[in-house]
């Protein structure tokens, strides 16, 4: 969705779910305008990730600077961040966002992500925002790419490049949940390529995705971008798995 269309879409969502009337997550009445149109109870369900995280992949950490994954494996991306932990009610909301047609949640989720992106000054480091693509079959079934909607909201909040569909998903990969790290890597190998076999004409890319588990998906995207001329690839996801 391009800029003007996105504004119309957001305006439409504001009409449907005006901030300060009902919580967009639980539907409860909000007495006063509350941040992101989310009631205090729902807002408190988010475990936001800040300093308490791995300095490489951005996952929550109890102690230390790097998680065990990042001590053992080299990633193609330069740094990944997540807004919150994939946990409790947040899991249900993301599930409903992806699979139950609640695409309007891209609004509050994307705005929350954009604020965090500004906090860590990632917006100053990138020239381009690229959503992780869905395979065309899945896109047809679902009707929207949840990562693309997030990237659109984020780019609308950051004064810079618009989200660009630089990548395509060439293979319709099965869901990765329940697979081991090795199985995930095998499944995702070669799943992405550049659109139109093009060359990346931007140097520093911010990849946007919904969930970071072992990082296989953003890692494969980063590999394609770097193999084709990108300099730095950062990833920002809505949520990342705990204890994985
Ligand atoms: Zn609520
Ligand atoms: Zn890590």
């Amino acid at each position: 969705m391009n800029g003007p269309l996105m504004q119309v879409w957001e305006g439409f969502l504001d009409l449907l779910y005006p901030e300060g009337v009902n919580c967009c997550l639980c539907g409860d009445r909000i007495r006063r305008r509350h941040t992101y149109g989310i009631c205090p109870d729902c807002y408190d369900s988010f475990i936001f990730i800040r300093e308490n995280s791995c300095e490489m992949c951005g996952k929550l950490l109890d102690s230390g600077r790097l998680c065990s994954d990042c001590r053992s494996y080299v990633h193609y991306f330069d740094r990944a961040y997540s807004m919150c932990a994939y946990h409790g009610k947040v899991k249900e909301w993301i599930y409903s966002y992806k699979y139950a047609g609640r695409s309007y949640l891209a609004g509050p989720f994307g705005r929350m992500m954009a604020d965090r992106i500004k906090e860590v000054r990632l917006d100053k480091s990138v020239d381009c925002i690229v959503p992780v693509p869905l395979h065309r079959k899945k896109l047809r079934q679902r009707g929207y790419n949840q990562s693309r909607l997030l990237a659109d909201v984020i780019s609308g909040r950051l004064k810079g490049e618009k989200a660009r569909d630089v990548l395509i998903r060439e293979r319709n990969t099965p869901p990765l949940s329940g697979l081991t790290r090795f199985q995930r890597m095998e499944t995702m190998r070669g799943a992405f390529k550049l659109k139109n076999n093009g060359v990346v004409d931007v140097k520093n890319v911010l990849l946007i995705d919904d969930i970071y588990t072992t990082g296989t998906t953003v890692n494969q995207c980063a590999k394609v971008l770097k193999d084709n001329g990108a300099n730095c690839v950062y990833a920002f996801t809505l949520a990342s798995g705990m204890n994985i």
Side-chain angles (χ1 to χ4, degrees):
M1 220 180 289
N2 59 25
L5 253 183
M6 194 66 208
Q7 278 172 8
V8 171
W9 173 243
E10 287 219 53
F12 174 66
L13 294 182
D14 284 346
L15 281 176
L16 264 182
Y17 301 96
E19 287 193 341
V21 176
N22 290 92
C23 170
C24 61
L25 292 172
C26 70
D28 277 3
R29 189 100 179 147
I30 304 174
R31 282 170 187 256
R32 59 186 169 79
R33 188 180 174 87
H34 198 267
T35 321
Y36 309 114
I38 294 174
C39 75
D41 277 355
C42 289
Y43 192 76
D44 287 345
S45 301
F46 287 88
I47 301 174
F48 291 103
I49 301 179
R50 291 205 158 80
E51 288 74 27
N52 51 341
S53 58
C54 172
E55 288 180 7
M56 184 65 207
C57 73
K59 274 206 269 194
L60 267 185
L61 267 188
D62 289 334
S63 60
R65 293 176 52 208
L66 292 175
C67 71
S68 57
D69 262 9
C70 293
R71 286 198 303 268
S72 314
Y73 301 98
V74 175
H75 303 298
Y76 292 105
F77 57 79
D78 293 86
R79 176 78 159 88
Y81 300 82
S82 286
M83 185 192 79
C84 68
Y86 187 59
H87 166 82
K89 278 188 187 169
V90 170
K91 272 169 109 165
E92 293 168 27
W93 293 327
I94 295 178
Y95 185 90
S96 68
Y97 170 51
K98 283 174 74 167
Y99 301 111
R102 294 179 80 188
S103 57
Y104 59 86
L105 292 181
F109 289 162
R111 290 198 289 274
M112 291 161 95
M113 288 168 79
D115 285 348
R116 180 67 184 139
I117 287 168
K118 283 192 249 182
E119 256 177 60
V120 295
R121 301 182 65 80
L122 258 185
D123 52 326
K124 308 285 181 214
S125 312
V126 299
D127 327 298
C128 183
I129 296 173
V130 176
V132 169
L134 273 189
H135 188 268
R136 61 180 186 284
K137 255 190 185 165
K138 250 181 215 152
L139 186 60
R140 219 178 301 130
Q141 283 163 1
R142 193 172 300 170
Y144 56 93
N145 172 0
Q146 70 281 356
S147 301
R148 172 74 213 224
L149 295 187
L150 292 174
D152 284 335
V153 174
I154 291 165
S155 69
R157 306 282 285 192
L158 307 178
K159 293 184 190 75
E161 281 277 338
K162 293 289 165 205
R164 287 172 54 185
D165 293 314
V166 170
L167 295 166
I168 58 168
R169 195 181 287 237
E170 204 167 31
R171 283 193 293 107
N172 194 12
T173 49
L176 299 180
S177 52
L179 300 186
T180 63
R181 160 178 288 278
F182 179 74
Q183 289 168 326
R184 284 168 185 255
M185 276 161 49
E186 286 302 301
T187 304
M188 295 308 291
R189 196 183 300 280
F192 300 101
K193 68 171 196 174
L194 281 191
K195 206 170 188 177
N196 306 322
N197 285 320
V199 174
V200 183
D201 58 352
V202 285
K203 287 293 166 209
N204 303 310
V205 178
L206 177 58
L207 275 171
I208 299 292
D209 203 7
D210 50 358
I211 302 165
Y212 184 107
T213 307
T214 62
T216 314
T217 303
V218 288
N219 214 24
Q220 284 301 312
C221 290
K223 181 179 188 317
V224 172
L225 291 165
K226 286 205 165 173
D227 284 350
N228 289 280
N231 182 28
C232 286
V233 177
Y234 303 96
F236 199 99
T237 55
L238 172 58
S240 61
M242 297 169 82
N243 306 319
I244 297 164

